[in-house]
């Protein structure tokens, strides 16, 4: 991509985000970077309310330290840093809130039915379309900087055979015209809005929104960290964990991988 095109992307994004930028948010758009999350974590002390968008990441990071393939192929690699001013206990709900806010934005703007695989994977028709990586940096005093990274397959997606799971991209699921500035603008606005919700408002919204987004609800699942067999996912706990029923007893999962299981019909 030439520098003129990059400039056009930034101008278009600034135009679409003018109200957000007027409210005190800073925006940087770069051609290539190792990882937008890594960059904003390094700058966290001075990067309050900063959005960083890259056309390409050379070392994109996914959850649990896995790589996030980030070629310059029209996809979204976006991070937002905000000084939370909240206790860590309140922040546990943020990553769920961010993921729902992205799903809501895609549904609202592009009429896409977007589900969430707890806690942060975005799915369309059973195929992963994106994910959220939320990281924190302790600041002097008691404050915490939160760096929220969103990766979305907009115009293309990695080879499912290489990832060994079904993947898709937004453009395959809508007749509407989809471009990176539009997706970046709606997702950016959604992130900023979510971070400004009060804790009570966030909790109320999560409680009402999660069930219709929950891809695992009442599905058989495997939770390797619990060392049990097949369980049934039963929705969110009050503190953002995933409740899983094993032999009639509910256990709550807070971290690690949860996979959709299959029911043995033999
Ligand atoms: C996941 O594993 O599902 C989360 C992927 C998060 C990827 C995004 S892309 C923008 C930001 N920068 C990174 O290095 N990672 C996140």
């Amino acid at each position: 991509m030439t520098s003129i095109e990059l400039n056009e992307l930034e101008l278009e994004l600034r135009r679409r985000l003018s109200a957000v930028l007027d409210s005190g948010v800073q925006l940087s758009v770069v051609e290539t970077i190792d990882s937008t999350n890594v960059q904003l974590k390094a700058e966290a002390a001075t990067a309050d309310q900063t959005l960083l968008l890259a056309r390409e990441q050379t070392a994109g990071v996914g959850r649990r330290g896995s790589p996030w393939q980030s070629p310059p192929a029209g996809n979204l690699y976006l991070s937002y840093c905000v000084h939370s001013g909240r206790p860590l206990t309140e922040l546990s709900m943020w990553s769920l809130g961010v993921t729902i806010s992205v799903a809501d934005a895609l549904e609202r703007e592009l009429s896409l039915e977007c589900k969430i695989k707890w806690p942060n994977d975005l799915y369309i028709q059973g195929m992963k379309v994106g994910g959220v990586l939320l990281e924190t940096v302790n600041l002097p005093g008691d404050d915490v900087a939160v760096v929220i990274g969103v990766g979305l397959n907009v115009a293309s997606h990695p080879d499912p055979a290489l990832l060994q799971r079904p993947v898709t991209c937004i453009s395959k699921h809508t007749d509407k015209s989809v471009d990176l500035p539009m997706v970046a603008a709606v997702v950016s606005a959604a992130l900023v809005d979510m971070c400004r919700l009060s804790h009570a408002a966030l909790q109320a919204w999560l409680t009402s929104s999660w069930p219709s987004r929950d891809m695992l609800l009442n599905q058989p699942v495997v939770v390797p960290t619990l060392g049990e067999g097949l369980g049934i996912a039963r929705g969110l706990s009050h503190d953002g964990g995933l409740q899983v029923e094993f032999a009639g007893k509910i256990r709550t999962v807070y971290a690690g991988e949860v996979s959709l299981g299959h029911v043995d019909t033999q």
Side-chain angles (χ1 to χ4, degrees):
M1 164 174 255
T2 67
S3 57
I4 291 171
E5 287 170 307
L6 183 71
N7 191 35
E8 280 170 4
L9 168 64
E10 178 164 353
L11 283 177
E12 179 61 11
L13 194 49
R14 287 189 179 281
R15 190 185 68 74
R16 289 174 182 264
L17 281 176
S18 60
V20 170
L21 299 178
D22 285 350
S23 75
V25 171
Q26 307 295 314
L27 170 70
S28 293
V29 179
V30 297
E31 182 66 48
T32 189
I33 200 165
D34 51 358
S35 152
T36 54
N37 261 40
V38 168
Q39 180 69 27
L40 284 187
K41 281 194 294 176
E43 296 173 357
T46 55
D48 187 25
Q49 297 196 82
T50 299
L51 288 161
L52 174 59
L53 177 80
R55 297 281 313 192
E56 174 190 33
Q57 295 184 122
T58 54
V61 187
R63 286 181 53 246
R64 295 180 303 281
S66 57
W68 187 258
Q69 289 185 32
S70 311
N75 293 333
L76 180 78
Y77 316 118
L78 173 76
S79 296
Y80 179 54
C81 177
V82 63
H83 293 187
S84 74
R86 317 273 180 102
L88 271 176
T89 46
E90 291 193 11
L91 294 179
S92 61
M93 298 301 216
W94 276 33
S95 70
L96 296 170
V98 167
T99 314
I100 297 183
S101 69
V102 173
D104 281 0
L106 295 181
E107 190 156 296
R108 196 176 51 244
E109 301 297 329
L110 293 166
S111 312
L112 291 172
E113 199 185 320
C114 195
K115 295 278 186 188
I116 298 170
K117 176 171 167 284
W118 181 91
N120 297 121
D121 291 341
L122 291 150
Y123 275 73
I124 296 175
Q125 292 179 10
M127 295 170 278
K128 182 159 171 171
V129 72
V132 171
L133 173 67
L134 186 144
E135 300 180 281
T136 56
V137 178
N138 291 327
L139 298 173
D142 279 342
D143 205 0
V144 172
V146 182
V147 176
I148 300 162
V150 181
L152 273 180
N153 302 330
V154 178
S156 67
H157 59 75
D159 181 353
L162 288 179
L163 292 187
Q164 297 188 312
R165 63 163 182 247
V167 285
T168 192
C169 59
I170 290 172
S171 60
K172 283 190 174 171
H173 298 272
T174 178
D175 293 335
K176 299 192 180 178
S177 117
V178 185
D179 58 40
L180 186 56
M182 186 268 262
V183 175
V186 299
V187 170
S188 297
L191 297 186
V192 171
D193 285 350
M194 199 241 61
C195 293
R196 290 175 177 170
L197 287 179
S198 70
H199 186 56
L202 173 59
Q203 274 198 310
W205 175 60
L206 273 182
T207 307
S208 64
S209 303
W210 183 263
S212 64
R213 295 271 174 227
D214 187 352
M215 185 173 120
L216 300 178
L217 188 63
N218 298 328
Q219 298 295 315
V221 292
V222 176
V223 189
T225 47
L226 291 185
E228 309 251 8
L230 211 55
I232 305 290
R234 295 297 191 202
L236 271 193
S237 65
H238 70 282
D239 50 0
L242 180 72
Q243 302 186 106
V244 183
E245 183 182 332
F246 294 99
K249 286 198 180 142
I250 296 286
R251 297 188 62 183
T252 305
V253 188
Y254 292 99
E257 180 67 349
V258 176
S259 327
L260 269 171
H262 66 280
V263 181
D264 196 344
T265 52
Q266 285 191 327

